[in-house]
Amino acid sequence: MKLLRVGAPGREVPAVRSDDGRILDISELTADVDGAFLAGDGVQRVRAALAAGTLPEIPNAAGLRIGAPVARPGKVVCIGLNYRDHAEETGAKIPERPVVFLKASYTVVGPNDTVLIPRDSTKTDYEVELAIVIGREARYLESPEAALEHVAGYAISNDVSEREFQIEYSNQWDLGKSCETFNPLGPWLVTPDEAGDPGKLGLRLSVNGERRQDGNTSNLIFDVGYVVWYLSRYMLLEPGDVINTGTPAGVALGRADKPYLRAGDVVELEIDGLGVARQAFAAA
C-alpha cells in the first residue's frame, strides 16, 4: 500500500494511491498520516476500505502538491557512512558500529518541494537514501529480525548536507545537516508487504539529468533490521519517526571535481518500488 499526503503545506489531506494510480481520500479514517495513525490500526482500516471500494477519489489530484508521506516526525535519525563505497570515497574508515546522528524534524518537506541552499553555503551536497518509518514503539528490541515488525514502511529520502558547515565548522555534524528544507521525503510511504526486500532495492540520483549515484541497498554495511535493533538499544523509537539509512557512493564530497549544488540545479531521486522525487534548489 502507498500512503501519501497531498495539498498545501500545513493543509495536507491524507490519502492512499490505488493500484490503478488514483489518489483516494482517507480523511474519513484519520486526520493525518502520523504516529497515532501508524501505531493504531490505521493501515488495516485503510486496507479494508480499499478492498470495500468506499474511499472517494480526490479530484484533480495530479495537480496537487505532494507533502511528506508522514506528518512532521518526532525525530529524524540518520546513519552515516553506511555504504562501504561511500565511506571509501570520503576517505573514512569503515565503521565497526553504526555512525548515528540526528536531523531536526523541521527539515522534512515534500518530495518535490524547493530546497533552500543556506546563506554563505558553497558545499551543499545531495544524498539519496532509503528511509524507514517506524510504526510501533521500539525499545530494547531482542533481535534485528524482531525489529522489522516495528517498521511501518519505506520512503525515498534526500539527506541534504552542507559539507563545510558539517565538517569544518564543528566537531559534530549538526550544523550541516539541520538546515531548513534539508530532508525531502516521499512521494509515498510504502508498506513492507509492497516494498519487498529492503535489502535489494536499487537507488539512483541525478543532478540536471546527469547520473551521480547508482547503488543498491544490498551494499548496506548495517541493514534495515540491524539499524532499527541497534538504535532501540540506545533511544526510544516512536511511531512516525524517520530513519535515514545512509547513501551510496557518488556524492559531491567524494568526487574529484566536487560538483556541489547551486541555485537552479534540479535533483531527481528514485528507489525501486518507492517512486520518484524531484527537487529544485534555490538560494535561501
Side-chain angles (χ1 to χ4, degrees):
M1 192 160 58
K2 297 181 176 74
L3 297 164
L4 67 160
R5 300 164 67 246
V6 296
R11 298 195 298 275
E12 293 93 344
V13 174
V16 64
R17 187 176 187 269
S18 66
D19 290 341
D20 59 7
R22 292 177 300 133
I23 306 301
L24 307 177
D25 188 342
I26 62 171
S27 57
E28 65 181 34
L29 302 175
T30 181
D32 212 337
V33 179
D34 55 13
F37 167 80
L38 297 172
D41 62 350
V43 171
Q44 290 75 18
R45 285 186 285 118
V46 172
R47 199 183 303 277
L50 264 178
T54 59
L55 296 173
E57 185 171 357
I58 296 177
N60 304 313
L64 295 177
R65 167 186 174 269
I66 300 176
V70 61
R72 184 167 173 167
K75 57 183 172 292
V76 181
V77 188
C78 305
I79 308 299
L81 305 173
N82 200 21
Y83 286 77
R84 187 175 300 273
D85 56 359
H86 174 55
E88 291 173 347
E89 73 172 346
T90 61
K93 181 182 177 182
I94 303 299
E96 296 180 3
R97 297 165 65 95
V99 176
V100 180
F101 62 95
L102 299 178
K103 298 186 81 160
S105 59
Y106 62 74
T107 61
V108 175
V109 295
N112 305 316
D113 286 351
T114 299
V115 176
L116 300 176
I117 295 177
R119 297 177 185 179
D120 302 319
S121 167
T122 60
K123 297 180 180 180
T124 293
D125 208 346
Y126 48 83
E127 298 186 35
V128 61
E129 306 202 8
L130 173 68
I132 305 165
V133 177
I134 295 298
R136 293 170 51 197
E137 192 173 90
R139 56 160 62 82
Y140 298 109
L141 298 176
E142 294 183 358
S143 67
E145 293 74 23
L148 292 175
E149 298 175 4
H150 294 257
V151 174
Y154 304 95
I156 301 171
S157 182
N158 189 355
D159 176 19
V160 186
S161 309
E162 211 300 343
R163 302 302 189 184
E164 186 176 27
F165 300 177
Q166 174 190 351
I167 299 170
E168 301 174 39
Y169 286 4
S170 174
N171 290 328
Q172 297 183 348
W173 290 1
D174 303 52
L175 292 182
K177 292 290 188 174
S178 285
C179 303
E180 184 182 5
T181 72
F182 262 28
N183 206 122
L185 187 71
W188 313 312
L189 170 59
V190 183
T191 52
D193 59 303
E194 188 165 333
D197 186 346
K200 295 181 180 179
L201 299 176
L203 59 173
R204 296 163 290 279
L205 180 145
S206 298
V207 179
N208 301 328
E210 176 196 2
R211 180 64 53 83
R212 297 279 182 86
Q213 293 183 277
D214 193 346
N216 194 287
T217 57
S218 62
N219 294 319
L220 283 166
I221 297 171
F222 305 104
D223 66 18
V224 166
Y226 188 93
V227 164
V228 175
W229 168 79
Y230 181 85
L231 292 175
S232 80
R233 311 298 295 176
Y234 302 99
M235 64 180 72
L236 175 65
L237 298 175
E238 299 176 296
D241 284 351
V242 173
I243 302 172
N244 289 335
T245 57
T247 197
V251 299
L253 175 66
R255 293 169 60 106
D257 54 346
K258 299 292 189 288
Y260 291 112
L261 297 169
R262 300 289 182 259
D265 285 344
V266 175
V267 175
E268 295 179 283
L269 311 92
E270 180 179 10
I271 297 181
D272 294 345
L274 303 186
V276 177
R278 182 182 185 274
Q279 298 118 32
F281 281 66

